Amino acid sequence: MPGNKIKRSTAGECLVFFVYRCEYDQRVRNAIIRFSGRIKSYGGEKLGIATDVMVLCAPDDSPWKNRNDWCVALLGFPNQKSARLWFISEPEIKQHDFPPPSDGFLIFSVRIRYPPVTGRLTFCWTELSSIRSKGELQRDYVDPMATLMDRHNIDHGLVFINDKDCDQLDRLRDCWLPYHAYYRLDVYDSEDEICRFYQSDDAKNLVQVRNNLCATTQVAFTIDPKIC
């Protein structure tokens, strides 16, 4: 894991995700470097980039599963309003050679519920869609999974969005994330920690329950704060 650490105050109250194909990585890095000064005027800052995304599970038609060359860049802002104001005014994103939406490039922001533990740079993003019963999902999976993650000292639910809080996910650009879904972002010390957790018997049992109640997309990535 990279030696640099994210300060507890860095992420503010909002994270902005750039998801793009690896062939555009240098182009996105160059753009982030060029606009890093402008995002500061909106209270934002660059957090880092992951060039290797591990797909833990996904439906067969998911773009995450159809390709294996995704990158994720993260920016932090004080709130989603500031992130959107920066986005609509940023000339770099309007450039013709910026990755086009037709190549799967998407940008979205999410509101975070609390500051992550300092130094944890590995994230696990989960989407729960095609939910058969929201009540059962909450009772039989979401609540017991939160309890289990508490026992394992996992920073879970840094982001947690259900369909009642859909405004907490701001689709800034051609976002292919599903509608009417639950979203969760958890933070770990490493990808190995994620694998160990989900290979435990308790987690496996809950995953089986979850799979009977909804479709799941789950990806993990570790960001490197060094962008240039």
Side-chain angles (χ1 to χ4, degrees):
M1 188 170 73
N4 295 340
K5 297 180 183 297
I6 293 178
K7 298 177 182 178
R8 179 171 287 274
S9 61
T10 294
E13 296 179 2
C14 167
L15 291 176
V16 173
F17 284 72
F18 285 27
V19 180
Y20 56 93
R21 290 162 50 186
C22 289
E23 67 181 87
Y24 296 115
D25 185 46
Q26 193 58 55
R27 192 177 303 175
V28 171
R29 287 175 187 270
N30 292 342
I32 291 175
I33 292 168
R34 287 193 294 267
F35 66 55
S36 59
R38 288 190 292 275
I39 67 172
K40 288 181 181 178
S41 65
Y42 293 90
E45 59 182 302
K46 55 188 186 295
L47 301 181
I49 293 178
T51 56
D52 184 18
V53 177
M54 178 172 59
V55 180
L56 301 174
C57 61
D60 289 338
D61 59 350
S62 168
W64 291 111
K65 197 168 185 178
N66 290 340
R67 304 192 64 91
N68 61 0
D69 60 347
W70 293 110
C71 294
V72 177
L74 283 184
L75 307 177
F77 282 87
N79 50 62
Q80 286 183 299
K81 181 180 179 180
S82 297
R84 176 165 277 276
L85 287 173
W86 163 76
F87 174 78
I88 62 178
S89 66
E90 178 50 59
E92 287 289 342
I93 293 175
K94 299 177 177 67
Q95 295 298 313
H96 71 278
D97 60 346
F98 206 65
S102 59
D103 281 308
F105 182 62
L106 62 88
I107 306 174
F108 63 95
S109 77
V110 290
R111 192 181 308 166
I112 67 172
R113 303 195 304 165
Y114 62 89
V117 170
T118 302
R120 287 184 171 174
L121 301 178
T122 297
F123 297 86
C124 185
W125 173 260
T126 302
E127 305 165 11
L128 307 178
S129 58
S130 302
I131 300 169
R132 296 171 177 82
S133 169
K134 295 175 185 176
E136 288 184 51
L137 183 69
Q138 186 71 39
R139 181 192 67 212
D140 298 338
Y141 173 71
V142 174
D143 291 342
M145 178 58 81
T147 300
L148 181 61
M149 287 181 162
D150 282 338
R151 294 209 304 266
H152 284 261
N153 196 33
I154 294 169
D155 270 358
H156 63 88
L158 178 70
V159 171
F160 184 79
I161 301 170
N162 58 32
D163 54 352
K164 295 179 182 178
D165 302 316
C166 57
D167 61 328
Q168 294 183 21
L169 193 155
D170 190 2
R171 292 169 165 83
L172 295 170
R173 178 174 176 177
D174 297 282
C175 190
W176 37 258
L177 298 179
Y179 287 84
H180 308 297
Y182 285 22
Y183 300 95
R184 193 182 74 226
L185 184 68
D186 307 318
V187 191
Y188 293 79
D189 287 322
S190 67
E191 292 175 16
D192 286 342
E193 184 187 12
I194 297 174
C195 294
R196 288 195 302 271
F197 174 74
Y198 280 101
Q199 288 169 1
S200 68
D201 290 339
D202 288 341
K204 284 181 179 178
N205 290 338
L206 288 175
V207 166
Q208 185 174 356
V209 171
R210 180 195 71 195
N211 291 343
N212 291 329
L213 293 172
C214 65
T216 304
T217 297
Q218 196 166 55
V219 299
F221 54 92
T222 300
I223 66 166
D224 184 347
K226 185 177 180 181
I227 291 179
C228 59

